[in-house]
Amino acid sequence: MTSRFTELTVDCHDPERLAAFWCEVLDFKVIDRSEGKVEIGSWVPTVEDVRARQMPPTLLFVQVPEGKTVKNRLHLDVSPIDGSTEDEVTRLLGLGATKTDVGQGSDRNWVVMADPEGNEFDVLRTLAPHT
């Protein structure tokens, strides 16, 4: 018997706003929504696809009444694919992200940021081809 990692759930105040932010960051689309929930992904999961192989997980944003109070124990890492890390950080700042300090120090080759609801994520090295 085996399980598959099918979705990552994020508690938040405004699922629509956070889903829209992450759709812009990751070039995902909304694949399902109901009251207080929005699911986004790069594909629409089917039982057959999930059973056949491990597919990229979707992100599910669920409305909750409480706010974020401490540093995330789990966070996303993103890697730019068509520009520099610095250019991606600038783009994400324009989308509503902020730079944040979680004690990482200044000698790191990644940038710690927070989404519009304060959830930390890292922008790693670029995967763009060298020109």
Side-chain angles (χ1 to χ4, degrees), residues 14-104:
D14 188 343
E16 292 288 342
R17 178 177 175 227
L18 214 50
F21 170 81
W22 283 103
C23 278
E24 287 293 323
V25 172
L26 300 171
D27 194 26
F28 278 15
K29 304 290 182 231
V30 172
I31 58 174
D32 191 30
R33 66 170 32 101
S34 59
E35 187 168 337
K37 297 179 187 176
V38 180
E39 186 175 11
I40 67 172
S42 61
W43 65 295
V44 178
T46 66
V47 171
E48 295 78 21
D49 285 336
V50 171
R51 286 184 58 79
R53 62 195 175 284
Q54 183 64 58
M55 301 292 288
T58 61
L59 294 175
L60 176 64
F61 300 95
V62 178
Q63 188 174 34
V64 297
E66 66 275 1
K68 180 180 175 302
T69 58
V70 297
K71 178 181 170 284
N72 294 8
R73 297 282 307 262
L74 174 73
H75 66 266
L76 301 180
D77 288 345
V78 299
S79 297
I81 59 169
D82 55 9
S84 70
T85 300
E86 296 77 21
D87 289 344
E88 184 65 355
V89 167
T90 299
R91 183 180 82 89
L92 298 176
L93 289 168
L95 293 175
T98 56
K99 288 185 180 181
T100 191
D101 184 350
V102 293
Q104 70 272 16

